[in-house]
Amino acid sequence: MAAENVSENLAMDSGKEMDFSSMKDSIQLRHGNYFILLSLLFFQFVNWILKSHGPPKSLKDDEWKWRNLWVSWFHALITSVWVITSFYRFPEVFADVILHVNYYTFFCACFATGYFTYDLLDVVINNKARAMWEVVIHHILVAGMLYYNVYLKAQIGFSLIAMTVEVNSIFLHWRKLYQMTQVPFSSLKYAIVKYLNLVSFAMFRLFPLAYITYTLFTMYHRVSVVYYILIFITMVCMDLLNTILFWRLVKSDVLRGWASRQGTSARHSSRNGSRKSSTAACNTSSNGNNNSIVNNEPKLPKKEA
């Protein structure tokens, strides 16, 4: 399969174009709608299993947040595998990220649409919308853009590139779950996850979003005005939200640790200095007391000759 795809790419490079219109015509929208519904029900089922199992005893936050994060983690894991295998099986998607589509990549976009719809409903139904307004805005924009692409059966390649952020979400949610179950920040497993989170954030979140933002200025003539306005608004919000999120992570997991080590070192030096001063003072006091004892000794009367 991979060899055939490479051959098709070489053929395209030599001037032979793929018939993208036949790809689009082979996809039926009703299949996508059914799959979105199945995706939504699947995540509701995962939530029910987690609720039946119950949270760990070490949980310090509310149970709903713990379940919500676990459902998000499962979505991130499944979607990451799906997206990576899509790029491996169909590398020709990069030949035209706007028109290329097949059922494998189409259902991937449907699966993600179902998840974001489920999670948005979960947040609203549980009265968390006010406290999690960033999540509400994010999910409305993402779910709306994904379904728009599903409806048009186009821009699926863009959807796949955007969904590579879920590779980072695996570690982002994993880190938060560690915090909720009171895993020590100084532990090795927390340190591994937090650094994998920062590295994957740059590779699979900031870079893909920057690439999509770049295409706004190079492929605008190939999409409708409505789509361009929607994707422009979405990307401005995504770029802003993710830049803020990355800075928060750096402050929490890098700068705070550095400041803590600096503070510990300063306290250690101050403590050592205090000990030395105290020791010197004790020695001085001790010497003074010795001199006082010697000087205050009563003089013996001289023996008379």
Side-chain angles (χ1 to χ4, degrees):
M1 178 65 70
E4 293 175 0
N5 292 336
V6 172
S7 299
E8 290 176 0
N9 283 337
L10 293 175
M12 290 180 63
D13 293 338
S14 64
K16 181 181 178 180
E17 296 183 357
M18 296 181 65
D19 186 6
F20 291 111
S21 60
S22 63
M23 288 183 172
K24 183 177 180 179
D25 293 340
S26 67
I27 305 295
Q28 295 190 34
L29 179 60
R30 61 187 177 88
H31 294 160
N33 290 331
Y34 294 153
F35 204 89
I36 290 172
L37 179 60
L38 286 175
S39 173
L40 194 154
L41 294 175
F42 168 76
F43 288 111
Q44 180 59 43
F45 177 69
V46 173
N47 179 69
W48 177 79
I49 292 176
L50 291 167
K51 191 173 184 179
S52 300
H53 183 271
K57 295 180 180 179
S58 59
L59 183 68
K60 67 177 182 178
D61 290 313
D62 62 286
E63 180 185 349
W64 175 85
K65 189 175 182 180
W66 174 80
R67 286 187 284 108
N68 182 266
L69 275 172
W70 264 115
V71 173
S72 298
W73 187 86
F74 277 113
H75 164 256
L77 182 64
I78 296 171
T79 302
S80 296
V81 173
W82 203 329
V83 169
I84 292 172
T85 56
S86 294
F87 289 147
Y88 176 76
R89 293 185 60 192
F90 311 106
E92 65 270 20
V93 69
F94 294 106
D96 197 324
V97 293
I98 294 178
L99 295 180
H100 188 282
V101 62
N102 57 44
Y103 266 117
Y104 191 84
T105 56
F106 180 72
F107 281 151
C108 183
C110 295
F111 182 76
T113 305
Y115 162 73
F116 286 111
T117 303
Y118 156 81
D119 201 48
L120 178 61
L121 293 173
D122 191 41
V123 170
V124 173
I125 290 172
N126 287 278
N127 299 316
K128 305 290 183 179
R130 184 182 295 273
M132 302 175 65
W133 61 270
E134 304 103 319
V135 174
V136 172
I137 293 175
H138 175 273
H139 284 13
I140 290 175
L141 292 172
V142 173
M145 289 306 305
L146 283 173
Y147 187 73
Y148 188 77
N149 292 342
V150 168
Y151 178 78
L152 293 178
K153 296 180 285 186
Q155 288 87 232
I156 299 300
F158 272 139
S159 297
L160 292 177
I161 293 172
M163 284 187 288
T164 57
V165 302
E166 297 304 326
V167 176
N168 167 247
S169 295
I170 295 173
F171 304 104
L172 186 67
H173 299 327
W174 202 344
R175 166 187 173 275
K176 188 61 180 178
L177 286 166
Y178 272 167
Q179 291 179 354
M180 293 181 67
T181 52
Q182 304 184 62
V183 173
F185 293 162
S186 58
S187 65
L188 178 61
K189 60 182 181 180
Y190 184 88
I192 292 173
V193 168
K194 79 175 183 181
Y195 285 118
L196 285 174
N197 177 46
L198 290 171
V199 172
S200 63
F201 199 107
M203 291 179 59
F204 295 103
R205 191 175 289 267
L206 295 181
F207 179 74
L209 292 178
Y211 172 78
I212 295 175
T213 303
Y214 166 75
T215 60
L216 293 177
F217 304 97
T218 59
M219 297 187 182
Y220 64 91
H221 58 286
R222 298 190 58 196
V223 297
S224 67
V225 175
V226 173
Y227 181 81
Y228 185 78
I229 293 174
L230 290 175
I231 193 66
F232 184 85
I233 294 172
T234 300
M235 292 313 303
V236 169
C237 293
M238 292 299 100
D239 290 342
L240 181 61
L241 289 174
N242 281 282
T243 300
I244 294 173
L245 177 57
F246 186 67
W247 173 239
R248 288 178 179 176
L249 290 171
V250 170
K251 284 200 303 182
S252 175
D253 289 344
V254 178
L255 298 182
R256 185 179 66 174
W258 180 80
S260 178
R261 287 192 297 271
Q262 291 294 105
T264 302
S265 177
R267 288 193 299 270
H268 182 69
S269 299
S270 177
R271 194 177 297 115
N272 287 341
S274 299
R275 288 175 181 172
K276 290 179 181 178
S277 299
S278 177
T279 302
C282 288
N283 291 337
T284 302
S285 176
S286 177
N287 291 335
N289 289 338
N290 290 337
N291 292 333
S292 177
I293 291 172
V294 172
N295 295 333
N296 292 335
E297 282 184 350
K299 293 182 180 179
L300 294 175
K302 293 181 180 179
K303 291 183 180 179
E304 296 181 355

